[in-house]
Amino acid sequence: MSTPSPSLPGGTWTLGDLTVTRFGYGAMQLAGPGVMGPPADREGALAVLREAVALGITHIDTSDAYGPHVTNELIREALHPYPESLHIVTKVGATRDEQGGWPTARRPEDLRRQVHDNLESLRLDVLDLVDLRLGNAEGPRPGSLAEAFETLVELQQQGLIRHLGISNATEEQVAEAQSIAPIVCVQNMYNLAHRHDDKLIDRLATDGVAYVPFFPLGGFTPLQSSALSAVAARLEATQMSVALAWLLHRSPNILLIPGTSSTAHLRQNIAGAGRSLSHEDLTELDDVSR
């Protein structure tokens, strides 16, 4: 049975009653180009998942929309029956079209179908944590989440979901979700260059709610990228290593889910996230967003 590794950077966090390593793994990149179709190297994809668990990672992020169905099927093939310590987080609220787009699918009947699809593809009786994906491919969009979120609450009450979260959400939508039912995580775009959720992260930390950033290097301007490169060069590290280490330093409720289809890259990400940053390093990195 896998147990959380003390060598993983950041230690652990509790999602409701589930203890997970703050350094997790995002399965999105295991699908084919554009997150569509099967991977070019199926055995390599299975090996990455097995290596993640062998290294002590207990938080895997996925969605049945990846592929579609591909990453969940790979997770099932590689890891089922799952170790008791492993917790799989999935998302609902979007589907895929033939052009590789991400059309929204948040009607109650859509969400019920997606939850059952995730249960079937992962071969589970109950999903540990389901995030409701809001907005669209361009980012969060304002508007009430009540009907969609209440549908997931009903499925939770039926025993099909343990815990709930939301993704791609505005601060107002986070507050609305919390007024309906407890959430244990928020998954939004956030990194050194895009710090619009700073206040939200701090509030969620006070509430004991996890924040899971995606695109840790997404959307940097050339100037910002140059500043990060300069810090990374001084530390003799990669930009990704510094960005991941900064996120772990930023707040104890931040959980990382970097993805990769390479076991060597997985180990590099773990080593990079564990890099120690001095006060001077952190001050200089904070200036990247300004």
Side-chain angles (χ1 to χ4, degrees):
M1 182 179 70
S2 173
T3 56
S5 171
S7 63
L8 288 172
T12 61
W13 180 265
T14 302
L15 297 166
D17 60 351
L18 309 175
T19 299
V20 299
T21 49
R22 287 183 67 204
F23 190 98
Y25 174 75
M28 186 177 185
Q29 291 187 28
L30 294 184
V35 201
M36 291 290 286
D41 180 3
R42 185 177 183 86
E43 290 305 313
L46 297 172
V48 170
L49 288 163
R50 290 169 180 147
E51 180 74 354
V53 172
L55 292 171
I57 289 173
T58 62
H59 172 198
I60 292 181
D61 181 86
T62 185
S63 172
D64 207 41
Y66 297 164
H69 315 303
V70 169
T71 61
N72 280 6
E73 292 172 357
L74 290 168
I75 290 169
R76 182 189 67 213
E77 181 176 345
L79 303 175
H80 193 277
Y82 305 112
E84 290 183 11
S85 61
L86 179 64
H87 301 297
I88 299 173
V89 178
T90 191
K91 283 177 289 298
V92 296
T95 185
R96 307 303 301 280
D97 58 29
E98 293 182 356
Q99 292 72 42
W102 300 82
T104 59
R106 292 194 289 269
R107 296 176 302 175
E109 58 267 33
D110 295 329
L111 297 171
R112 294 186 187 103
R113 183 184 66 253
Q114 291 169 68
V115 166
H116 283 281
D117 285 348
N118 275 279
L119 287 166
E120 181 178 356
S121 60
L122 289 167
R123 200 177 297 170
L124 288 169
D125 296 323
V126 57
L127 299 170
D128 279 336
L129 197 164
V130 175
D131 287 326
L132 173 63
R133 184 182 187 272
L134 300 166
N136 57 32
E138 282 70 52
R141 293 293 180 269
S144 175
L145 53 66
E147 182 182 42
F149 193 67
E150 286 168 358
T151 300
L152 295 185
V153 172
E154 291 174 6
L155 293 168
Q156 183 184 41
Q157 292 169 344
Q158 293 170 19
L160 299 180
I161 301 171
R162 284 198 176 89
H163 300 290
L164 299 172
I166 55 175
S167 176
N168 207 30
T170 66
E171 188 166 357
E172 292 74 20
Q173 288 165 337
V174 173
E176 184 183 15
Q178 290 180 303
S179 74
I180 296 170
I183 61 172
V184 299
C185 75
V186 173
Q187 189 176 127
N188 276 0
M189 179 177 175
Y190 178 84
N191 56 41
L192 268 168
H194 291 267
R195 299 188 56 178
H196 49 279
D197 273 354
D198 270 337
K199 291 182 179 178
L200 176 61
I201 289 170
D202 294 339
R203 181 175 74 77
L204 292 175
T206 301
D207 293 344
V209 175
Y211 185 95
V212 186
F214 56 79
F215 295 138
L217 281 178
F220 277 55
T221 67
L223 181 62
Q224 290 168 328
S225 183
S226 296
L228 176 59
S229 295
V231 175
R234 188 182 72 245
L235 297 175
E236 298 182 345
T238 66
Q239 289 188 42
M240 175 62 89
S241 294
V242 174
L244 292 176
W246 178 83
L247 284 168
L248 282 182
H249 279 77
R250 168 63 184 83
S251 183
N253 66 324
I254 287 183
L255 311 184
L256 303 184
I257 51 167
T260 177
S261 58
S262 159
T263 54
H265 191 210
L266 173 65
R267 289 180 173 273
Q268 289 170 6
N269 282 342
I270 292 173
R275 177 173 292 275
S276 178
L277 299 176
S278 69
H279 176 74
E280 290 74 20
D281 295 332
L282 294 171
T283 299
E284 188 169 349
L285 290 169
D286 282 341
D287 288 338
V288 169
S289 64
R290 298 192 175 95

